Amino acid sequence: MKLKLAILLSMLLLMVSCGGDTAASSSSASSLSPAESQSQPVVSPQQLEEEQRLAALAEQQALAQQRALISQQLEPEIEEICRNYNVTGMSLAVFDENGVFYQQSYGFANVEQQIPASEDTIYRIASISKSVTALLALELTEEGSLSPEQPLPALGGCEILNPNFPDKPITLRHLLTHTAGIFDSGSYWQAVESPSIPPLNTFLYTCYGAEPGEQYCYSNLGMGLVSGVIETASGQRFLDYTREQIFEPMGIDAAYSYTQLEQKDRVADIYQNGERTVHMADWSNMSAKYTNLPLGQLYALGHGDLFITAKDLTRFARIMAGCPQDGEPVVLTGSTLQMMQTVQFSQELPEESYPNEIMRGLGTHITDQLVPDRRMVGHQGNAYGSICGMFFDPQQKNGFVLLTNGSSCQTDQAGLYLVNKETAQAVYSAFFGFTPATE
């Protein structure tokens, strides 16, 4: 707090001194005679542009210095959060509309080999994958290959239609808001846990429930089907499409399959309660599990299997926030972007219920309870013991990515993981003007 007050006072003094100089210059200029006024040099557009450039550069340098000072306080605070929630290893990246300006890592990517987590560590980000998959599908809607509102096409010859509601087609919008009336049945879990996953039509009939569009039911299968929708619209295997059309043009080592990663030694193992639950080397043949499915019938990977670094994931968050890095292969226009950033389905719930908040954009989790007085958009992830979070403020175009390979899974009443929530509030208190409540 003392550091922030000192920074604010120095900025005020700078403003006052600049204002005094301006006033003095104005007074001096007004006292010039007509002859003296005519003899004053005229500032050319080029000179004015250079002055503006130098002023902007000075402002950026001042901001960088301010953030460097703040970072010195934030780092131990984040470390304390990690200790409080038994984080095995983590990487944090904070961004604004100009890109990532703060990174921090903690703990170990591999405990057994004592490999520390770093900004280069690749994590399996679990259900945050859903938001990235949704982003890719929505880009295809902008190209005209898909429509959020039209009935889903047959996926590899398999019709996606609840037989109990044959006149109520299931749409991409339903899948992206978890309102398709599709749930994760026992047969679904048996299918995805098989060494070679079976065709979709062998179990899909066990997963139909409510009328499409009427009820919220969080569904891994529903978002997994978006992978098949992308295959159908693009005419390519999902793993090939994402590698060739997305990750390679971005120049990043990321994939929806461990098999496709180039630098597998950078991937974090996963831990729960101090025990290793996933040894990534055992997933070397991950892609082979999906090769026998007909094109379009994929119902996995897109729901939770993206491997990526925290910093690289911020590039997708920035696309969703409307401030993409120049030259990205995926960019959404205003109306489609709004459907990710704003509530497309909500459900009023009693304050004492769990969760007590359900608001969904297309492929995103929207919450008013992560950071007070801000509506945040993004997604959480939880699998095998890892807890992850990616959230941004679409109004201010800033946010953070927190990836862990093991953490306590405590939540608040809204279902927000406390490690995500406390990290969010620490980040926004430090950099973005949020003042935490005092006891």
Side-chain angles (χ1 to χ4, degrees):
M1 182 60 71
K2 291 180 180 178
L3 177 60
K4 291 186 180 179
L5 287 172
I7 292 169
L8 288 172
L9 286 171
S10 64
M11 292 175 69
L12 285 170
L13 288 171
L14 178 62
M15 291 170 65
V16 169
S17 64
C18 290
D21 292 344
T22 303
S25 299
S26 176
S27 175
S28 175
S30 64
S31 64
L32 293 175
S33 68
E36 289 174 324
S37 298
Q38 291 175 1
S39 67
Q40 294 299 306
V42 177
V43 178
S44 69
Q46 292 80 8
Q47 289 175 309
L48 181 59
E49 183 178 346
E50 178 64 10
E51 289 177 2
Q52 291 173 339
R53 186 188 70 81
L54 292 173
L57 180 61
E59 184 178 352
Q60 291 173 4
Q61 291 173 339
L63 179 60
Q65 291 173 353
Q66 178 187 2
R67 284 175 169 173
L69 291 172
I70 292 172
S71 298
Q72 295 174 12
Q73 285 189 330
L74 178 62
E75 185 171 341
E77 186 175 355
I78 296 296
E79 288 180 353
E80 183 178 3
I81 292 170
C82 289
R83 288 191 293 271
N84 290 343
Y85 292 100
N86 301 314
V87 170
T88 303
M90 78 88 193
S91 296
L92 169 67
V94 183
F95 67 92
D96 62 13
E97 60 185 344
N98 297 312
V100 172
F101 63 85
Y102 179 83
Q103 292 190 80
Q104 182 178 344
S105 296
Y106 169 93
F108 292 97
N110 184 303
V111 174
E112 289 74 15
Q113 297 181 33
Q114 293 290 283
I115 299 173
S118 74
E119 62 186 50
D120 294 321
T121 299
I122 297 172
Y123 297 83
R124 182 183 183 272
I125 65 172
S127 286
I128 299 177
S129 308
K130 293 177 171 68
S131 289
V132 179
T133 303
L135 174 67
L136 304 185
L138 289 171
E139 188 206 18
L140 289 172
T141 69
E142 294 202 336
E143 294 177 0
S145 303
L146 289 172
S147 168
E149 319 300 341
Q150 294 299 313
L152 291 176
L155 302 182
C158 183
E159 189 176 29
I160 312 300
L161 184 67
N162 189 331
N164 298 314
F165 303 98
D167 297 328
K168 298 287 185 178
I170 295 173
T171 66
L172 180 61
R173 170 181 287 275
H174 292 145
L175 294 180
L176 297 182
T177 54
H178 298 276
T179 59
I182 292 175
F183 65 94
D184 300 338
S185 70
S187 297
Y188 160 75
W189 288 113
Q190 290 178 6
V192 295
E193 291 167 3
S194 300
S196 179
I197 65 174
L200 182 58
N201 55 12
T202 61
F203 69 89
L204 182 60
Y205 65 94
T206 70
C207 302
Y208 288 121
E211 179 179 341
E214 294 301 314
Q215 292 184 19
Y216 173 84
C217 177
Y218 188 86
S219 173
N220 289 292
L221 171 58
M223 281 301 305
L225 287 172
V226 179
S227 309
V229 172
I230 290 173
E231 286 193 342
T232 301
S234 67
Q236 284 186 275
R237 293 285 185 181
F238 181 71
L239 290 177
D240 295 336
Y241 176 80
T242 52
R243 180 185 61 207
E244 296 170 11
Q245 306 299 324
I246 309 300
F247 302 133
E248 286 183 353
M250 292 177 78
I252 61 176
D253 192 6
Y256 279 90
S257 169
Y258 176 80
T259 308
Q260 285 191 328
L261 293 170
E262 294 180 7
Q263 295 179 291
K264 295 179 176 61
D265 58 330
R266 290 168 48 197
V267 182
D269 284 351
I270 305 177
Y271 300 82
Q272 188 169 36
N273 300 323
E275 300 294 326
R276 184 162 61 182
T277 55
V278 177
H279 181 34
M280 278 300 165
D282 297 337
W283 288 29
S284 296
N285 295 321
M286 179 178 175
S287 295
K289 180 173 180 174
Y290 307 97
T291 56
N292 293 328
L293 286 176
L295 180 70
Q297 278 203 27
L298 184 62
Y299 51 89
L301 298 179
H303 73 295
D305 281 309
L306 179 57
F307 293 80
I308 195 169
T309 68
K311 184 177 181 180
D312 290 340
L313 184 56
T314 65
R315 290 175 62 177
F316 289 98
R318 288 180 62 194
I319 295 169
M320 297 176 208
C323 53
Q325 179 176 310
D326 290 342
E328 296 290 34
V330 183
V331 178
L332 300 184
T333 59
S335 59
T336 311
L337 197 61
Q338 283 291 308
M339 290 191 288
M340 293 198 83
Q341 294 180 351
T342 59
V343 177
Q344 304 296 304
F345 181 88
S346 64
Q347 187 173 331
E348 291 189 12
L349 298 165
E351 187 65 28
E352 65 275 8
S353 68
Y354 180 86
N356 62 9
E357 176 190 66
I358 293 177
M359 294 190 292
R360 309 298 300 199
L362 293 192
T364 54
H365 172 184
I366 299 175
T367 177
D368 292 333
Q369 299 188 42
L370 187 68
V371 179
D373 302 320
R374 288 180 188 256
R375 173 158 289 186
M376 302 292 287
V377 180
H379 216 289
Q380 299 189 114
N382 174 6
Y384 305 108
S386 69
I387 302 294
C388 304
M390 174 195 75
F391 284 95
F392 59 88
D393 178 343
Q395 300 301 315
Q396 299 297 319
K397 300 187 188 305
N398 51 41
F400 73 97
V401 167
L402 173 70
L403 305 182
T404 86
N405 64 336
S407 172
S408 299
C409 60
Q410 299 155 269
T411 66
D412 68 2
Q413 199 67 24
L416 296 166
Y417 293 106
L418 294 184
V419 68
N420 287 337
K421 186 171 185 175
E422 292 194 19
T423 300
Q425 296 195 4
V427 164
Y428 272 78
S429 173
F431 294 120
F432 302 131
F434 158 66
T435 303
T438 56
E439 295 293 337

